[in-house]
Amino acid sequence: MPRSTTRTRWRLGLATTALLAATALVPVPAHAETVTDYAVTVDPAAQGAQIDDTMYGVFFEDINRAADGGLYAELVQNRSFEYSAVDNRAYTPLTSWTVDGAAQVLDDAGRLNDRNRNYLSLGAGSAVTNAGYNTGVRVEQGKRYDFSVWARAASGSTLTVSLQDAGGVLATARAVAVRKGGWARYRATFTATRTSSEGRLTVASSAATALDMVSLFPRDTYRHEPNGLRKDLAEKIAALRPGFVRFPGGCLVNTGSMQDYSEASGWQRARSYQWKDTVGPVEERAVNSNFWGYNQSYGLGYYEYFRFAEDIGAMPLPVVPALVTGCGQNRAVVDDALLKRHIQDTLDLIEFANGPITSPWGRKRAQMGHPAPFRLTHLEVGNEENLPAEFFARFAQFRAAVEAKYPDVTVVSNSGPDDSGQTFDTAWQLNRDAGVAMVDEHYYNSPQWFLQNNDRYDSYDRNGPKVFLGEYASQGNAFKNGLAEAAYMTGLERNADVVKLASYAPLFANEDYVQWRPDLVWFNNHASWNSANYEVQKLFMTNVGDRVVPSTATGTPSLQGPVTGAVGLSTWATSAAYDDVRVTGANGDTLLSDDFSGDASRWTHTGGGSWSLQDGQYVQTDTAAENTMVFAGDTAWHDYDLRVKATKKSGKEGFLVAFGVKDTGNYYWWNLGGWNNTRSAVEQAVDGGKSTLISKAGSVETGRAYDIDVKVRGRQVTLYLDGQEWGSFTDDKPAEPFRQVVTEDDRTGDLIVKVVNAQSTQARTAIDLGGARVASRARVTTLAAAPDAVNTETGTAVAPVTSTFTGVANRFTYTFPANSVTFLRIGQR
């Protein structure tokens, strides 16, 4: 995933064209008073693209505590005392535990097993208490909870296990007798006498005892499986009826060491996600340092992913490392033996999923409780690699090995972390030349970008590799974000012959452990709620249809003036110095000239960081601050040249030179040495949400002064670095707020007219069904809300409303509410 950005807004121009006088109105928000007119024309006799049952799915990555403390139902945090400063600087082996008496975490020959290396030595008469996740251990009155622990005691002991909160006892305490001798697993069951989200689990010992894998599971998990899933979260995924589940990453796949967890590798903690670490008995699964800054227990592993995909009727789509790191690390691993081992691991994964129980890994699957195969058909190699040539050289070897042994498995490639740019173009060319079956695209952009790019896949080669849109989202969880995504999804469906799979990302966020926004489902330890984006996804995913019925719609005229705005300077996790800023109009007049020999009074500081004048330069010195923007000039400026000298002094990245600056959330900037100093790009911010307009690989040298020249002419911008043209772009695509697609459901015969009206006016629309014989009634599902509406734990501002419309005919008029997504299911006779 690329670096996240803030929540966004967008402004849409309004235009009206004369259409029809007769209208059939549906209820609309009271604030929507004006009407914009459109026409939708459907051609039911024409053949549109077939839509696969797997068109829409979900992507699960353990980010934002999505697994431990989330979908994985375990209530004890750090249950095996494996937390480490490698995972997070603040962690110790006793993180989330408090000790009363004597207790020590040991890593010695007395451990439970080699892969579970730490254990707790608890003194006689001592106790440890676990704080759980969020505010504590969540229990509900009358519900049952299963406790287990691995323990050993030289002379035997009694463990007293209790649940309580600040208000007192939550369940009757249990006494667990530990036999004299080696490690054994012990169990107890609790029935909660009160409901609490602030519970604490305490284990006290009568004699010196070693403890490991201290666990508390709700009995009521999804599908009631041992080592199960949190029910409300799993049910939210199931309710989407996803066609596939992509897992486990994401950045978890292509970051960290590619070595295994063994003595030979020095028990490497920060590793890429490797599937063999995550199967077998949970007490024997390896731990790992999660890329997003915490620990992964791997209690939720590959077996559980496969079982869950099967439970919800979805196709599993695992992702394996390609031995080229990404997500800012960008290193190709050169170790042929290691590469061969990972290729064999991938073949073994397919055997684990599909092999007969007479095969080694098929037998392992059966021993875990699933003799039948999981019917794996797709497998992805790599994720967002920024080194396309190095990635593809390795990908080709994975692909050849898989296709030789399992020709029915589709091997999916990728195109890097962006929707365009040098890496994207190179990766796509390599994939096309090699005849790759499917290419995974990822992008996170502003709502405006999604409204501007509905036609993205119209021009893709119909005979080339198919597209898997594995990660996408507009930058926010307000309804305006969902509207923009809905508008874009009409384009995905229209191009279902090219875009075969699509999944919003990320899926989950625990509100107290957020590394990334936006997210589809939010939760804490006692509740979960659907984002506005979730409601959009669910509406599309449960009303897909089986083929596209070709249709056209009138558009909204868009008038665009020149790029206007002031100029700005900024940094991101970097200290940089700027000098000799000069802005001249197209006629040569000087608009701004500043060599910083006096003061910096012409510059307004809007971001973070620390700016000061040093030796005739304007310097930002805080290497931790992100977006330290200062700007100068007039927001009405247009058709100008901006020249500046920039020098990186220290830090992770390069420098940012802004133009077209209107305010803190609306500007363009040339990001030189971004993404951990691996590439440069021009980004456009619209109310805080960014989109990439042009991107190239490259880095910035520390201590070197760069001459930067930005020429703005109308809506075209040309950029020069040290006197050489670096790139150019023209920002002239309209953000169309009215989008539609029509599909047909083979089972019911329904025409499904899907219309997105992403503007604050009603859309009075003449619909021509092209001679189709239809029923007079339509089932209507509508999402309509204020653009800034956000669903929360306590309020659902965005939710579907169903109704019946009785004015359907071969030609009829329907008024779509302002800021709405509407699906009309129209029966055919």
Side-chain angles (χ1 to χ4, degrees):
M1 298 177 179
R3 183 172 59 202
S4 71
T5 52
T6 56
R7 293 184 176 180
T8 58
R9 301 175 184 169
W10 74 95
R11 301 183 180 89
L12 297 173
L14 305 179
T16 304
T17 57
L19 188 64
L20 294 175
T23 61
L25 299 178
V26 296
V28 297
H31 64 271
E33 297 175 352
T34 57
V35 177
T36 303
D37 289 338
Y38 296 90
V40 172
T41 303
V42 183
D43 185 359
Q47 288 296 311
Q50 293 293 317
I51 306 174
D52 295 342
D53 292 340
T54 52
M55 173 75 181
Y56 294 121
V58 295
F59 165 46
F60 182 93
E61 178 174 5
D62 187 0
I63 184 173
N64 309 314
R65 287 282 190 187
D68 296 332
L71 184 61
Y72 186 48
E74 174 66 76
L75 297 174
V76 176
Q77 184 174 178
N78 190 17
R79 66 183 178 186
S80 58
F81 310 100
E82 297 288 345
Y83 276 26
S84 164
V86 176
D87 310 330
N88 186 299
R89 291 179 183 177
Y91 282 179
T92 74
L94 282 171
T95 293
S96 81
W97 294 93
T98 55
V99 176
D100 182 7
Q104 184 180 8
V105 175
L106 300 177
D107 175 4
D108 60 25
R111 64 178 64 88
L112 178 60
N113 58 66
D114 279 349
R115 292 166 71 80
N116 195 331
R117 300 188 63 77
N118 286 355
Y119 66 95
L120 183 74
S121 175
L122 186 63
S126 300
V128 286
T129 297
N130 191 266
Y133 295 94
N134 300 91
T135 55
V137 175
R138 166 70 175 183
V139 296
E140 295 182 51
Q141 183 175 359
K143 294 287 183 72
R144 300 177 71 186
Y145 297 85
D146 293 323
F147 169 83
S148 67
V149 63
W150 283 82
R152 64 172 171 80
S155 57
S157 71
T158 298
L159 301 179
T160 302
V161 187
S162 59
L163 276 167
Q164 66 283 321
D165 64 6
V169 173
L170 293 172
T172 303
R174 294 286 183 259
V176 176
V178 177
R179 298 182 299 275
K180 176 182 177 181
W183 288 101
R185 191 180 187 195
Y186 300 90
R187 296 177 173 86
T189 298
F190 293 92
T191 300
T193 55
R194 287 191 297 114
T195 294
S196 176
S197 298
E198 300 176 353
R200 299 291 186 268
L201 175 73
T202 297
V203 180
S205 179
S206 65
T209 308
L211 304 178
D212 207 342
M213 295 294 291
V214 182
S215 174
L216 186 69
F217 257 86
R219 177 72 59 87
D220 188 17
T221 59
Y222 186 72
R223 296 294 174 102
H224 306 282
E225 296 176 16
N227 198 48
L229 305 181
R230 179 170 151 176
K231 193 172 183 179
D232 62 325
L233 297 183
E235 287 177 342
K236 288 187 182 300
I237 304 176
L240 294 170
R241 289 188 236 156
F244 66 88
V245 179
R246 177 178 180 251
F247 62 89
C251 289
L252 302 188
V253 167
N254 67 339
T255 54
S257 169
M258 298 294 164
Q259 299 289 338
D260 62 0
Y261 190 62
S262 67
E263 185 176 7
S265 70
W267 306 107
Q268 187 69 244
R269 289 287 296 234
R271 308 181 312 285
S272 63
Y273 197 112
Q274 299 173 45
W275 78 271
K276 289 181 178 178
D277 288 341
T278 76
V279 297
V282 291
E283 69 274 8
E284 295 177 8
R285 298 183 189 181
V287 297
N288 202 1
S289 175
N290 183 293
F291 173 81
W292 298 107
Y294 51 91
N295 177 272
Q296 294 170 271
S297 75
Y298 284 149
L300 174 56
Y302 256 77
Y303 177 76
E304 289 76 25
Y305 285 127
F306 279 130
R307 282 296 301 263
F308 181 54
E310 181 181 68
D311 285 344
I312 62 176
M315 176 182 80
L317 206 166
V319 188
V320 299
L323 273 70
V324 178
T325 58
C327 300
Q329 296 183 0
N330 301 335
R331 184 174 63 90
V333 178
V334 181
D335 184 331
D336 192 56
L338 185 60
L339 176 62
K340 285 183 170 61
R341 193 267 287 173
H342 274 268
I343 291 172
Q344 185 58 50
D345 282 354
T346 300
L347 297 175
D348 291 345
L349 171 61
I350 300 172
E351 182 176 289
F352 177 76
N354 294 350
I357 60 175
T358 54
S359 66
W361 288 102
R363 183 164 56 253
K364 181 76 167 181
R365 181 193 69 239
Q367 289 169 348
M368 295 186 71
H370 200 281
F374 285 118
R375 298 186 297 277
L376 175 67
T377 60
H378 290 65
L379 180 142
E380 184 172 355
V381 177
N383 171 75
E384 294 186 7
E385 282 73 22
N386 259 315
L387 303 173
E390 292 86 342
F391 159 73
F392 201 82
R394 291 155 178 78
F395 170 84
Q397 295 185 60
F398 279 88
R399 179 192 180 197
V402 171
E403 290 182 348
K405 189 168 185 179
Y406 300 104
D408 294 335
V409 173
T410 298
V411 184
V412 182
S413 182
N414 77 83
S415 59
D418 290 309
D419 60 90
S420 60
Q422 187 175 19
T423 295
F424 179 88
D425 293 340
T426 301
W428 255 107
Q429 190 61 53
L430 290 167
N431 285 306
R432 275 192 295 266
D433 291 346
V436 169
M438 184 174 289
V439 177
D440 187 4
E441 294 188 354
H442 295 179
Y443 38 83
Y444 297 84
N445 288 322
S446 69
Q448 175 170 289
W449 186 93
F450 284 96
L451 293 175
Q452 288 175 320
N453 286 279
N454 179 273
D455 63 349
R456 175 180 176 87
Y457 296 106
D458 291 1
S459 59
Y460 271 50
D461 181 1
R462 307 341 257 184
N463 298 313
K466 302 307 180 184
V467 172
F468 170 25
L469 181 50
E471 298 184 30
Y472 74 99
S474 78
Q475 294 150 344
N477 278 142
F479 187 48
K480 60 194 172 190
N481 301 99
L483 283 170
E485 291 153 7
Y488 194 70
M489 292 170 80
T490 66
L492 300 183
E493 291 192 5
R494 187 176 65 252
N495 289 285
D497 57 328
V498 169
V499 182
K500 306 303 289 183
L501 307 169
S503 50
Y504 179 102
L507 181 59
F508 284 126
N510 185 320
E511 66 173 352
D512 292 333
Y513 309 94
V514 179
Q515 291 87 38
W516 182 276
R517 302 168 187 268
D519 303 284
L520 203 63
V521 175
W522 289 78
F523 66 93
N524 50 38
N525 66 353
H526 62 274
S528 57
W529 54 98
N530 304 331
S531 67
N533 318 67
Y534 175 98
E535 296 298 349
V536 165
Q537 292 291 323
K538 184 179 180 182
L539 187 56
F540 274 84
M541 292 168 78
T542 56
N543 293 277
V544 182
D546 297 287
R547 72 175 182 95
V548 176
V549 182
S551 60
T552 58
T554 54
T556 304
S558 177
L559 300 175
Q560 292 185 313
V563 171
T564 61
V567 298
L569 311 170
S570 189
T571 60
W572 195 290
T574 303
S575 172
Y578 295 92
D579 202 358
D580 296 333
V581 179
R582 186 175 178 85
V583 182
T584 56
N587 60 3
D589 291 346
T590 299
L591 304 177
L592 174 69
S593 180
D594 199 338
D595 63 3
F596 301 108
S597 59
D599 57 32
S601 58
R602 282 176 283 188
W603 297 85
T604 301
H605 185 190
T606 61
S610 177
W611 290 87
S612 62
L613 293 176
Q614 297 181 16
D615 301 323
Q617 295 179 313
Y618 202 20
V619 182
Q620 198 291 118
T621 56
D622 187 345
T623 57
E626 299 179 347
N627 192 1
T628 63
M629 177 85 80
V630 293
F631 68 88
D634 191 331
T635 56
W637 281 352
H638 61 88
D639 298 292
Y640 58 77
D641 291 0
L642 164 62
R643 294 182 177 86
V644 60
K645 288 185 181 295
T647 305
K648 174 182 175 178
K649 297 177 73 66
S650 62
K652 295 179 181 178
E653 305 207 349
F655 30 80
L656 302 133
V657 175
F659 53 95
V661 179
K662 291 185 171 59
D663 53 44
T664 57
N666 295 275
Y667 53 84
Y668 303 80
W669 67 19
W670 189 1
N671 185 348
L672 286 150
W675 296 271
N676 286 329
N677 204 16
T678 60
R679 58 192 174 99
S680 299
V682 176
E683 299 176 281
Q684 180 185 16
V686 178
D687 289 328
K690 296 189 186 72
S691 300
T692 301
L693 302 181
I694 183 172
S695 175
K696 294 184 179 182
S699 59
V700 167
E701 298 176 24
T702 301
R704 175 183 166 187
Y706 290 84
D707 289 319
I708 295 167
D709 184 2
V710 180
K711 294 185 181 298
V712 181
R713 296 293 185 272
R715 300 204 67 80
Q716 182 172 351
V717 178
T718 308
L719 307 109
Y720 299 85
L721 186 63
D722 289 336
Q724 301 295 315
E725 183 173 334
W726 179 87
S728 65
F729 67 92
T730 302
D731 180 25
D732 60 358
K733 293 192 75 170
E736 172 59 66
F738 185 86
R739 298 291 188 185
Q740 58 79 38
V741 70
V742 180
T743 64
E744 184 175 26
D745 186 324
D746 286 346
R747 185 180 62 83
T748 64
D750 290 349
L751 289 176
I752 312 172
V753 179
K754 311 174 186 185
V755 174
V756 180
N757 181 29
Q759 58 188 334
S760 295
T761 60
Q762 301 172 39
R764 184 172 53 208
T765 305
I767 300 175
D768 184 343
L769 297 178
R773 297 182 62 206
V774 294
S776 61
R777 291 172 176 264
R779 287 172 290 158
V780 184
T781 306
T782 305
L783 293 171
D788 290 322
V790 176
N791 288 348
T792 66
E793 179 184 349
T794 57
T796 306
V798 182
V801 175
T802 58
S803 60
T804 300
F805 175 67
T806 58
V808 178
N810 188 252
R811 295 181 179 179
F812 66 101
T813 302
Y814 192 94
T815 298
F816 295 95
N819 301 307
S820 67
V821 183
T822 305
F823 280 24
L824 303 171
R825 290 193 72 112
I826 302 170
Q828 296 188 81
R829 302 187 185 199

